[in-house]
Amino acid sequence: HSVAVLGAPFSKGQKRRGVEHGPKAIRDAGLIERLSNLDYPVHDFGDLSFQYLEKDEPYMHVPYPRTVGRANKLLSGAVSNAVGAGHTTIMLGGDHSLAIGSVEGHARQCPDLCLIWVDAHADINTPLTSPSGNLHGQSVAFMLKELQNKMPELPGFSWMKPFLSAKDLVYIGLRDVDPGEYDTLKDLGVQYFTMRDIDRLGIQRVMEVSFDHLLSRKQRPIHLSFDIDAMDPSLAPATGTPVNGGLTYREGIWITEEIHNTGLLSVMDLVEVNPALGASREAVASTVSMAVDVIASSLGQTREGGPITQESQT
Ligand code: DIR
Ligand code: MN
Ligand code: MN
Ligand code: MN
């Protein structure tokens, strides 16, 4: 198989500037070279170019609905094309509102996909429950069929319909869940693992139960939506909404290694790297390096080495 890398320099799903520079920072840190050390061809599709609408009045307290909706429509088509061409697709954000288009485009090719959401946050607010209004905290609510009658019709989103069932979703890494989100998670019976659950069960067991939940009935494509703020802020400080007590390096890599080992990873989002934040150059460099490591590990980079292949003979 082959890998497609797709940059999505977009930031209007939240209010801090700089996250649109994520794709460039991740590429500059050598992502493509790292992936070419693995055993398949890598196609870099470059960055999408998003239009920022001049007139885009807030919907209630939700800023830039049309701009976010349009960006996601564009991204959806690009992800759908890349998956349709047979590539395992890596989407570099940009903020996490981009998961709406990424997962939707993936689902157009693979209607039976399942979604693993690795994040400090559940991103399942609706415009009515959202404390901030920011669309990057609402992405999952746009996807879920069960929330259809709780979602107002936002301008910019008429191109899509909810397409995912709550049973096809697992969260890992949660530690900052808003009250409305908590109620939704409980009402819908979503399978989720907070940092407290990881402390209790261990990350190995968390992944085992996650795969049991998603894959025991049948094998199907996995969409991994990885918000870098899932990682502990000591490892990934350059992000818009860091929360203490996150995943360790080894927990993060265990998650991605286990997902690779299923052989079912189809699309991965890596979002919320913001090179304009972070207290120093080192802080930005460590965040970007963490992003490259979880991507490479999702695509088969191992901690165990491997046999000689054609590629490994210089
Ligand atoms: C918060 C923060 N729950 C919100 N969400 C973030 O704005 O809805 N998601 N930062 O990544
Ligand atoms: Mn997120
Ligand atoms: Mn987050
Ligand atoms: Mn492999």
Side-chain angles (χ1 to χ4, degrees):
H1 55 165
S2 56
V3 171
V5 175
L6 189 57
F10 183 79
S11 66
K12 295 296 186 186
Q14 48 83 64
K15 296 186 188 83
R16 308 185 71 160
R17 50 160 292 281
V19 71
E20 70 276 13
H21 301 304
K24 176 168 166 38
I26 294 169
R27 282 205 186 80
D28 287 352
L31 175 69
I32 305 298
E33 296 88 272
R34 278 283 284 286
L35 299 186
S36 61
N37 294 333
L38 305 173
D39 48 8
Y40 25 61
V42 179
H43 305 266
D44 189 348
F45 284 52
D47 288 354
L48 292 169
S49 87
F50 297 108
Q51 293 182 343
Y52 291 84
L53 299 164
E54 255 175 54
K55 205 169 141 47
D56 191 359
E57 293 305 310
Y59 177 89
M60 307 189 314
H61 66 321
V62 177
Y64 305 113
R66 298 162 194 82
T67 304
V68 174
R70 180 191 286 220
N72 276 290
K73 184 181 180 184
L74 182 71
L75 176 61
S76 167
V79 169
S80 177
N81 287 342
V83 173
H87 305 301
T88 302
T89 302
I90 307 297
M91 188 280 282
L92 306 175
D95 73 64
H96 216 168
S97 69
L98 292 165
I100 300 169
S102 179
V103 184
E104 203 274 347
H106 187 191
R108 267 197 259 160
Q109 296 290 337
C110 308
D112 64 338
L113 66 75
C114 60
L115 175 59
I116 302 179
W117 196 276
V118 180
D119 202 324
H121 311 91
D123 297 351
I124 198 168
N125 276 302
T126 70
L128 302 159
T129 69
S130 171
S132 66
N134 296 335
L135 282 163
H136 79 156
Q138 306 176 39
S139 319
V140 177
F142 283 83
M143 302 177 199
L144 288 184
K145 295 178 196 165
E146 289 90 342
L147 291 177
Q148 188 143 33
N149 53 16
K150 303 229 162 119
M151 287 293 286
E153 280 187 23
L154 241 69
F157 289 89
S158 59
W159 57 273
M160 67 166 294
K161 289 199 318 285
F163 54 87
L164 189 77
S165 298
K167 64 175 185 351
D168 300 324
L169 163 66
V170 170
Y171 286 103
I172 300 170
L174 303 184
R175 56 193 182 276
D176 182 6
V177 176
D178 297 324
E181 295 185 301
Y182 182 89
D183 289 341
T184 300
L185 293 174
K186 292 295 182 189
D187 288 350
L188 302 186
V190 175
Q191 177 74 255
Y192 64 92
F193 299 97
T194 64
M195 288 311 302
R196 180 175 165 77
D197 295 320
I198 296 172
D199 287 342
R200 182 174 62 244
L201 299 170
I203 195 63
Q204 186 276 335
R205 181 67 185 148
V206 164
M207 294 314 291
E208 199 169 278
V209 178
S210 297
F211 293 142
D212 251 27
H213 182 81
L214 297 172
L215 305 174
S216 63
R217 284 179 60 250
K218 66 170 169 131
Q219 302 281 293
R220 56 205 179 124
I222 295 175
H223 190 115
L224 169 61
S225 205
F226 200 113
D227 185 328
I228 200 67
D229 74 26
M231 301 306 303
D232 191 78
S234 59
L235 298 161
T239 190
T241 51
V243 189
N244 279 333
L247 297 170
T248 65
Y249 186 91
R250 283 157 59 178
E251 287 166 340
I253 296 300
W254 179 266
I255 292 168
T256 49
E257 285 173 345
E258 288 294 283
I259 288 173
H260 171 78
N261 288 342
T262 66
L264 295 169
L265 180 65
S266 178
V267 177
M268 174 184 192
D269 312 318
L270 192 295
V271 297
E272 300 284 357
V273 169
N274 187 334
L277 303 175
S280 61
R281 286 162 71 97
E282 291 71 34
V284 174
S286 70
T287 308
V288 169
S289 157
M290 187 75 242
V292 172
D293 286 354
V294 295
I295 294 168
S297 161
S298 297
L299 293 173
Q301 179 177 293
T302 77
R303 292 179 282 178
E304 300 179 306
I308 295 176
T309 63
Q310 280 197 335
E311 284 77 15
S312 65
Q313 301 174 5
T314 40

